[in-house]
Amino acid sequence: MPRSLVNGNYHLVIAIESASRANSWYRVLADRQTGQLSCDCPAWTFRQNGGITLRSCKHTQAAQLLVNAQGQVDIRRTGVLVERASGAAANTNLLVQSTQQQWPGLGGKWSVEQRTGTIDHHPYRFVLLQLATGNGTTATGLVAFVQRFHTTTQSMIGGVAGWAGYAIAAEVARTAGYPMAGQPPDHFKVTRRGEAGTTDRRRRIGLSDILRVGDQVDLGDGYTPTQRAENTLRLFLGEELYTQLERQHFLDVSSVCYASEKRIYRVRRDPAKQRERRVRVFKKGYYSNDFCIVRGQNVPEADHWLTVFLGLISDEEQTLSVVGTYNVFDPHSDDYIQREEEHIPAIWHPRAS
Ligand SMILES: [Zn+2]
């Protein structure tokens, strides 16, 4: 992973397709503290002179034009409008639908805007997705496609659902107290250590291993839906958080709607990764109830877990709307094999700004 991604202090501003190689991507990142942009193209990476503040490349220069003084993406400054839709109209847009399919559980009001423009004299198509979550976060994802490589909307599905969806899911996770989640993958591939005990074997998981939409899904890759769902979860959470989930079999989500009772949702995972577990609800530190959020038909267990997690951190009200009184149970209601006590305190945190 490039140095520019350490510690989750950066966010993905835009993914820009290489002008010479279709479906090869450069990522422009912004330092959350300073707003300083960086890129992972060779020109930026190897231009060492002048120090980091003077470094630039055609990608950071293009991104600079798309970011306003507050560091937010504002593509109205560039190119020519092709399409703009929000709310119900956006929900019929193929690119929005694909992103929702790739990242199920993200809830709120979606918007999409497409513009044409140029980067370094090459014609590009810019696609901006925005999600105003039910929990009050506004997140954006921006992708620039080389026009001659992508003449149809269909051909842009993978890039949009992958990069823009990723950026949005990451921002939602950050505001929910999980800044380490959603670190942008390294190009289309991430090289990482294998499982414990196989330390020298490196396996690569990247966007192409998790996409389940669009023409970039490689159906010949040998992954089952279950493996693809596990890859998605692992890549999205990142090694540290994924390891934490593997160790303690839950992650906690602090409630936004029920802040006054310091409510926590303990989103649990079956160690055997088979059945769905009920969400344990804590109020002011005390374990009070189990919520049953039913898994959709034929959905891999990892997908269900991520859907509930993303649902609670993005749109708590919508996620709870499926929990009728008949889905609220007394504590320990699904301890079928043995009684599972809680030893780790559930500590409520206010949402990050
Ligand atoms: Zn660059």
Side-chain angles (χ1 to χ4, degrees):
M1 185 158 284
R3 272 173 304 177
S4 55
L5 281 178
V6 291
N7 298 332
N9 294 327
Y10 295 81
H11 75 276
L12 178 63
V13 175
I14 182 172
I16 301 177
E17 189 172 26
S18 163
S20 54
R21 279 180 300 145
N23 297 319
S24 181
W25 299 89
Y26 298 117
R27 304 160 313 157
V28 178
L29 306 170
D31 183 312
R32 288 196 191 279
Q33 253 64 51
T34 64
Q36 188 71 43
L37 300 178
S38 61
C39 180
D40 55 7
C41 73
W44 197 92
T45 307
F46 296 114
R47 196 171 293 160
Q48 302 287 351
N49 56 323
I52 194 165
T53 50
L54 294 175
R55 271 204 218 174
S56 74
C57 63
K58 57 192 176 188
H59 311 110
T60 57
Q61 286 160 14
Q64 201 73 59
L65 299 173
L66 304 168
V67 174
N68 65 21
Q70 288 75 45
Q72 288 149 346
V73 170
D74 181 0
I75 64 168
R76 284 173 299 178
R77 309 151 160 256
T78 193
V80 178
L81 181 69
V82 176
E83 182 195 14
R84 183 188 287 150
S86 69
N91 288 335
T92 64
N93 180 284
L94 184 62
L95 297 173
V96 172
Q97 288 174 340
S98 303
T99 305
Q100 291 169 331
Q101 190 189 335
Q102 178 67 35
W103 303 103
L106 282 180
K109 185 181 171 189
W110 289 87
S111 314
V112 58
E113 182 167 338
Q114 290 197 51
R115 302 184 82 90
T116 53
T118 58
I119 295 177
D120 194 32
H121 309 295
H122 295 283
Y124 272 81
R125 167 80 62 114
F126 296 88
V127 180
L128 176 73
L129 287 195
Q130 189 175 74
L131 175 66
T133 71
N135 287 0
T137 300
T138 297
T140 57
L142 180 59
V143 188
F145 294 92
V146 176
Q147 287 220 48
R148 66 190 172 93
F149 295 151
H150 297 274
T151 52
T152 64
T153 303
Q154 190 72 27
S155 72
M156 298 192 291
I157 284 176
V160 172
W163 294 115
Y166 210 97
I168 288 170
E171 183 61 14
V172 169
R174 190 184 72 85
T175 57
Y178 288 108
M180 297 302 286
Q183 303 228 2
D186 196 3
H187 293 272
F188 257 85
K189 297 285 185 190
V190 172
T191 305
R192 64 155 52 92
R193 295 271 172 195
E195 307 289 336
T198 59
T199 46
D200 287 323
R201 236 177 77 206
R202 300 177 80 90
R203 55 191 288 248
R204 299 159 74 82
I205 298 179
L207 270 190
S208 57
D209 298 322
I210 68 169
L211 287 176
R212 54 190 120 188
V213 294
D215 61 357
Q216 288 169 43
V217 174
D218 177 12
L219 295 175
D221 63 7
Y223 285 123
T224 64
T226 300
Q227 287 167 324
R228 197 178 286 278
E230 194 69 30
N231 286 346
T232 304
L233 181 61
R234 182 173 189 154
L235 188 68
F236 174 70
L237 290 180
E239 269 324 276
E240 189 180 314
L241 210 48
Y242 182 80
T243 304
Q244 189 184 340
L245 176 61
E246 289 283 273
R247 192 177 61 242
Q248 64 183 26
H249 308 300
F250 68 81
L251 291 180
D252 284 343
V253 174
S254 294
S255 170
V256 172
C257 299
Y258 300 92
S260 63
E261 60 185 46
K262 294 193 164 61
R263 185 188 285 193
I264 295 277
Y265 302 102
R266 182 156 286 182
V267 187
R268 297 153 73 227
R269 196 165 186 215
D270 176 14
K273 300 173 182 171
Q274 297 294 323
R275 62 191 177 112
E276 68 263 30
R277 301 305 311 271
R278 288 176 180 163
V279 174
R280 290 187 168 174
V281 179
F282 291 73
K283 295 174 184 173
K284 294 187 173 149
Y286 290 97
Y287 174 25
S288 67
N289 285 107
D290 286 343
F291 281 5
C292 179
I293 300 172
V294 180
R295 200 200 303 194
Q297 265 185 326
N298 299 325
V299 174
E301 178 272 345
D303 247 359
H304 176 70
W305 189 92
L306 186 59
T307 303
V308 172
F309 182 75
L310 287 177
L312 285 170
I313 64 176
S314 66
D315 201 340
E316 181 182 347
E317 216 174 338
Q318 173 65 32
T319 303
L320 295 185
S321 69
V322 302
V323 181
T325 49
Y326 48 89
N327 283 327
V328 177
F329 297 88
D330 287 337
H332 299 285
S333 68
D334 67 346
D335 293 3
Y336 299 130
I337 298 164
Q338 61 182 35
R339 190 170 168 88
E340 295 165 50
E341 298 296 347
E342 294 294 342
H343 301 293
I344 301 173
I347 299 163
W348 183 87
H349 296 284
R351 205 163 51 91
S353 56

